[in-house]
Amino acid sequence: NAGVTQTPKFQVLKTGQSMTLQCAQDMNHEYMSWYRQDPGMGLRLIHYSVGAGITDQGEVPNGYNVSRSTTEDFPLRLLSAAPSQTSVYFCASKRGQLTYGYTFGSGTRLTVV
Amino acid sequence: EDKVVQSPLSLVVHEGDTVTLNCSYEVTNFRSLLWYKQEKKAPTFLFMLTSSGIEKKSGRLSSILDKKELFSILNITATQTGDSAVYLCAVQETSGSRLTFGEGTQLTVNP
């Protein structure tokens, strides 16, 4: 198993550009989430999904879109990048409601200039 | 709004010392509390606690939860330089779909 795979690992965007951060897992996990990590603020939940076709907003959803067309993939779209979106983004997954904590991907470091 | 507060935010110790990391929380629908270790990249899972008073142990690491006082502690005995990392505390609510994280404790273990 590859676990949770995130691409790209690093990205620099100009303000106003759009892009998609990719996340894929091969563990047949139903639950998937996107977090951002900023210095001194821990990880904050952006969007999450409890199964294919089901998504919901987390704590900081503005400026981001998600979709979940398959169990394996959960891409995060930045619609119009802003410097405030400079952060490290983590995708995470787990099997289901009753399983323990999420497994995290290795992260994408995004810089918006 | 769910809230998790960790203390201290940073800690510097010498190899062989014992450290205690603290995590307090306010969660509307509490299901479990989790500890993660983050070295450079992805957080890696350490413990999940759901019941008060039951200590979880893994080698030199142990953790306990107090659901009445709404806090947890993570103990590391005989610290090693490899224990240097950010330790994250998170609470999971009853649906199991959301984690709320604290800011983390940066632990540095010097030789």
Side-chain angles (χ1 to χ4, degrees), chain A residues 54-69:
Chain A
I54 306 169
T55 63
D56 207 345
Q57 296 181 351
E59 183 184 351
V60 287
N62 292 341
Y64 308 95
N65 272 356
V66 292
S67 59
R68 185 94 180 272
S69 56

Side-chain angles (χ1 to χ4, degrees), chain B:
Chain B
E1 183 179 321
D2 297 345
K3 187 176 181 182
V4 177
V5 177
Q6 292 185 243
S7 65
L9 294 181
S10 65
L11 189 58
V12 180
V13 300
H14 292 289
E15 267 191 318
D17 288 350
T18 294
V19 299
T20 298
L21 309 183
N22 304 293
C23 176
S24 63
Y25 63 90
E26 298 173 21
V27 177
T28 305
N29 298 301
F30 177 86
R31 177 164 179 259
S32 58
L33 185 144
L34 298 96
W35 285 97
Y36 284 86
K37 179 182 181 181
Q38 185 177 28
E39 292 180 82
K40 287 292 185 186
K41 295 183 176 180
T44 54
F45 174 78
L46 294 174
F47 298 114
M48 185 178 78
L49 303 109
T50 56
S51 301
S52 284
I54 299 176
E55 185 181 37
K56 292 283 185 93
K57 296 195 76 172
S58 177
R60 296 176 294 102
L61 278 68
S62 64
S63 183
I64 197 161
L65 174 68
D66 186 327
K67 289 173 71 174
K68 181 179 178 183
E69 299 298 329
L70 308 183
F71 78 90
S72 173
I73 59 172
L74 175 68
N75 280 320
I76 308 175
T77 59
T79 52
Q80 302 171 356
T81 56
D83 295 326
S84 295
V86 175
Y87 290 84
L88 297 165
C89 173
V91 293
Q92 186 166 223
E93 37 69 66
T94 49
S95 77
S97 58
R98 304 164 66 106
L99 289 177
T100 300
F101 282 86
E103 315 95 288
T105 294
Q106 173 72 62
L107 174 65
T108 302
V109 182
N110 290 324

Side-chain angles (χ1 to χ4, degrees), chain A residues 11-19 78 81 85 110-113:
Chain A
Q11 183 70 49
V12 179
L13 287 180
K14 293 182 179 178
T15 298
Q17 286 184 318
S18 62
M19 79 159 295
L78 279 71
Q85 293 179 304
L110 175 69
T111 302
V112 182
V113 297

Side-chain angles (χ1 to χ4, degrees), chain A residues 22-86:
Chain A
Q22 301 292 344
C23 175
Q25 52 88 12
D26 60 356
M27 300 173 284
N28 200 31
H29 285 178
E30 289 296 321
Y31 283 43
M32 297 185 75
S33 299
W34 277 102
Y35 291 85
R36 60 177 288 174
Q37 186 173 33
D38 302 296
M41 300 191 76
L43 282 81
R44 292 181 292 167
L45 180 64
I46 305 172
H47 286 284
Y48 64 98
S49 168
V50 298
I54 306 169
T55 63
D56 207 345
Q57 296 181 351
E59 183 184 351
V60 287
N62 292 341
Y64 308 95
N65 272 356
V66 292
S67 59
R68 185 94 180 272
S69 56
T70 67
T71 299
E72 294 77 21
D73 300 298
F74 190 42
L76 179 71
R77 297 182 188 84
L78 279 71
L79 309 173
S80 176
S84 61
Q85 293 179 304
T86 294

